[in-house]
Amino acid sequence: MALARRGGIGRYYDVNGWLFVAPALGLIALFMIYPIAWSLWMSFQSGRGMMMKFAGFANIVRLWNDPVFIKALTNTMTYFVVQVPIMILLALILASLLNNPRLVGRGLFRTAIFLPCVTSLVAYSVLFKGMFAIDGIVNSTLAAVGIISSPIPWLTHPFWAKTLVIIAITWRWTGYNMIFYLAALQNIDRSIYEVARIDGVPAWARFTHITIPLLKPVILFTTVISTIGTLQLFDEVYNLTEGKGGPSNATLTLSLYIYNLTFRFMPSFGYAATVSYVIVILVALLACIQFYAARERDR
Amino acid sequence: MKNGIGRIATATFTYGFLGLMAFLSIFPFIWMVLGASNSSIDIIKGRILPGEAFTANVGKFFTTVNVPLVFWNSAKVAIFATVLTLAVSSLAGYGFEMFRSRHRERVYRAMLLTLMIPFAALMIPLFIMMGKAGLINTHIAVVLPSIGSAFVIFYFRQSTKAFPSELRDAAKVDGLKEWQIFLFIYVPVMRSTYAAAFIIVFMTAWNNYLWPLIVLQSNETKTITLVISSLASAYYPDYGVVMVGTILATLPTLAVFFFMQRQFVQGMLGSVK
C-alpha cells in the first residue's frame, strides 16, 4: 500500500516535471540538436547548392589544402590567444581597484566602464570604423600627442586591421567581465585583505595571491564564455572590414568564412559545415583544457 | 603601514588608470553624438566639436530609411522573442528545479552542453529548414530558433533555488494545480528575476545580427541593426547619417540600462550568484 502510494506520487511528479520542461526541450531538439547533427552529416557531403552527394573525408582533405581556411583559423586563434588574456587581466585589475570601498566615485567609474556592454555589436563596430579612419579622430589624436608621425592604416594594413579588431572587442567586453569579478569579490571576506595589508603584503602580491586564487571559478567561467565568443567572432569583423575579411583576409574569421562559403560565393554547404565543425571541436577542446588547467592548480 | 609618498603614488595610479579607462569607455558614445551633428567629411577628418549638420543628418536618415517600419520590425522581433523565451524557458527552469528526477538531471546536463554549440555550425541547416518551411524573409524565422534557450533555463533554475518552497506547499494545501501554482504564485514572486531576464533577452534579440542578416533579405523586413550595417558598408558611407542610426539603435538599450541598472547587472550576472 505504502509502496503503491509512493509510486503514484513519483509518477505524478515525473509527469508534471516533463510537462514543464517539454516545450523548451522540444525547441532545443528541433533548433539545436537536429541542426548540429545534420551539420555533421553534411560535412561528409560535397556538391553545389542542394545537389549533394556523399564524399567521405574529401572535405577534411580540402581543409588542409585551403589557404583561406588556414588563414581564417590562424586569425581566429590569434584573436583568442592575444585578446582573451589581455581582457581578462584588464577586467581583473579594474575589478580589484573598484572593489576598494574607500574609492571616491566608485559607482561612476563602474558605470562608465560597463557602458560599452549596452551597445550592439554592429553599432560599435560601425563607430570604431569611423573613429579609426585614416584621418580619423584616433590617428589625429595620436599625431597631436606625438606618438605617431604618420597616420596608422588601421583598416587597410593586415597587422593594424587585426589590432583594431582586438582593440574593439576589448573595448566592448572588458566591462562585462569586470562585473562578474566585482560580484564575486563582494563575496570575499574583506578582513583577508586587511590582514594581508597589515602583514605588509604589497598590493600586487595581494592581487596574485588572494584575488586570483579566490576568483578562480569565476575566471574559469568568464574564460570559457570569452573563448566561445571569440571563436564565433563575426559581427565586428564583418562590419569593420566591409564583410570581406579585411586586407588580404587579415581579419577573416572562421564564422565569416562559413558565411562567405554559404551565402556570398557559390553555396558549398558541405564544405562550410566541415569548417563549422572545426569551431565545434575547438570550443569543446579549449573548454576541456581550461577546465583541466583549473583543476590541476587546485592541488 | 604605508608612507605618505607611497600612498600618494598609489592613489595617483589608481585614479589615473580608472579615469583613463572610464574616458576610453565613454568616448565612442560622445563621438557618436558629436558625429551626428557633423557632416560625413568632418567626421572622417576627426572633428570632435559639435557641428551644424544635425538636422540635415536626421533628415537624410529619415528619407533614406523607412524609420517607423524598421523600428517596428526590430521591436516586433525583440518583443516576441523575449516574451516567448521567458515563457518557455522559465517553465523549464522551474520544472527542472521543482520536479527532480535522475533522468531529468541527465537531460539537464546534456542540455547545458548545447551552450557550447557555436551558431556558425547551426546556420546552414537552420537556413535550409526555414527555406523548406517557407519562412525565409519572415520574422517568425528570426524568432523561432532563439526561444528554447539553455542559458535562460539555467538562469531561471538558479534563481528558483531562492523560491520559498513553503509558498508551494501552502498553495498545494489550498488545492491549486501545478500550472496554477506556477502562474499565480511563482511568476508574481519571481518578478525581479523576470525583469532581469527580460532585459538581457530583449537586448540580445534587439542587437541580434548574423541570423537576421541571413534570413531577412527584403527591405520590408529588415531590422535596425541590418539597416545600420548596410548604411555603413556603402562604398562612400555618409557617416553623419550612420551616426544618427547608431544613436537610434543604441537609445532603447541605453535607456533600459539607466532606468533599470540593478536588474540589468543582475541579468548579466545571471548564474554566478
Side-chain angles (χ1 to χ4, degrees), chain A residues 103-124:
Chain A
L103 190 80
V104 182
R106 211 170 146 211
L108 222 57
F109 284 129
R110 196 178 47 206
T111 305
I113 294 169
F114 182 72
L115 211 56
C117 295
V118 172
T119 58
S120 80
L121 302 183
V122 173
Y124 96 81

Side-chain angles (χ1 to χ4, degrees), chain A:
Chain A
M1 180 69 194
L3 253 177
R5 218 163 79 206
R6 261 188 63 206
I9 288 174
R11 194 156 51 236
Y12 156 83
Y13 244 68
D14 224 39
V15 169
N16 268 298
W18 288 118
L19 280 179
F20 272 94
V21 300
L25 288 183
L27 286 163
I28 289 176
L30 186 58
F31 295 115
M32 296 281 270
I33 311 291
Y34 174 59
I36 195 77
W38 188 359
S39 240
L40 181 63
W41 183 70
M42 220 183 259
S43 69
F44 291 105
Q45 298 197 309
S46 74
R48 297 221 155 133
M50 298 301 287
M51 312 278 281
M52 295 206 281
K53 60 177 194 301
F54 190 76
F57 294 101
N59 285 326
I60 297 171
V61 176
R62 187 174 160 191
L63 280 182
W64 287 114
N65 303 315
D66 180 358
V68 184
F69 164 73
I70 303 289
K71 189 100 197 174
L73 180 66
T74 325
N75 291 342
T76 307
M77 291 313 280
T78 311
Y79 292 137
F80 166 67
V81 170
V82 177
Q83 196 268 334
V84 175
I86 293 178
M87 176 182 67
I88 301 270
L89 188 66
L90 195 58
L92 274 167
I93 294 172
L94 288 169
S96 44
L97 289 178
L98 287 174
N99 193 40
N100 178 1
R102 276 162 298 184
L103 190 80
V104 182
R106 211 170 146 211
L108 222 57
F109 284 129
R110 196 178 47 206
T111 305
I113 294 169
F114 182 72
L115 211 56
C117 295
V118 172
T119 58
S120 80
L121 302 183
V122 173
Y124 96 81
S125 305
V126 167
L127 282 179
F128 269 64
K129 193 174 147 197
M131 282 164 57
F132 285 81
I134 193 82
D135 300 321
I137 180 70
V138 173
N139 273 339
S140 55
T141 309
L142 290 176
V145 182
I147 296 174
I148 54 168
S149 52
S150 59
I152 296 173
W154 294 103
L155 297 162
T156 47
H157 184 279
F159 172 79
W160 293 112
K162 255 195 214 89
T163 312
L164 172 58
V165 172
I166 290 172
I167 294 175
I169 316 169
T170 309
W171 179 82
R172 173 64 170 73
W173 295 102
T174 302
Y176 175 81
N177 288 285
M178 181 191 76
I179 289 292
F180 283 92
Y181 303 144
L182 270 176
L185 280 171
Q186 269 153 25
N187 297 333
I188 296 178
D189 192 354
R190 300 227 111 259
S191 58
I192 300 175
Y193 285 98
E194 288 305 312
V195 169
R197 213 165 56 86
I198 291 163
D199 283 351
V201 179
W204 184 252
R206 287 201 298 268
F207 178 71
T208 53
H209 286 95
I210 302 176
T211 308
I212 290 182
L214 283 174
L215 290 190
K216 210 170 67 182
V218 194
I219 296 175
L220 174 67
F221 176 78
T222 52
T223 311
V224 173
I225 296 237
S226 306
T227 304
I228 297 175
T230 313
L231 290 179
Q232 301 191 48
L233 203 62
F234 178 86
D235 299 14
E236 288 90 338
V237 184
Y238 189 89
N239 285 292
L240 276 169
T241 53
E242 261 109 54
K244 287 182 219 70
S248 57
N249 286 328
T251 56
L252 186 76
T253 61
L254 289 172
S255 286
L256 183 51
Y257 189 42
I258 295 165
Y259 176 85
N260 285 344
L261 281 173
T262 320
F263 301 104
R264 189 185 290 270
F265 311 141
M266 188 66 164
S268 153
F269 291 142
Y271 186 54
T274 314
V275 178
S276 78
Y277 255 84
V278 173
I279 307 184
V280 174
I281 292 164
L282 279 177
V283 168
L285 212 63
L286 288 169
C288 285
I289 292 174
Q290 284 159 356
F291 275 110
Y292 184 74
R295 193 160 41 196
E296 273 301 274
R297 265 180 262 128
D298 266 341
R299 284 186 288 158

Side-chain angles (χ1 to χ4, degrees), chain B residues 2-31:
Chain B
K2 239 181 242 168
N3 59 39
I5 296 169
R7 203 177 304 157
I8 290 169
T10 314
T12 314
F13 168 77
T14 306
Y15 287 102
F17 183 65
L18 286 175
L20 179 70
M21 287 299 147
F23 173 74
L24 291 178
S25 299
I26 298 179
F27 182 75
F29 291 92
I30 300 170
W31 192 76

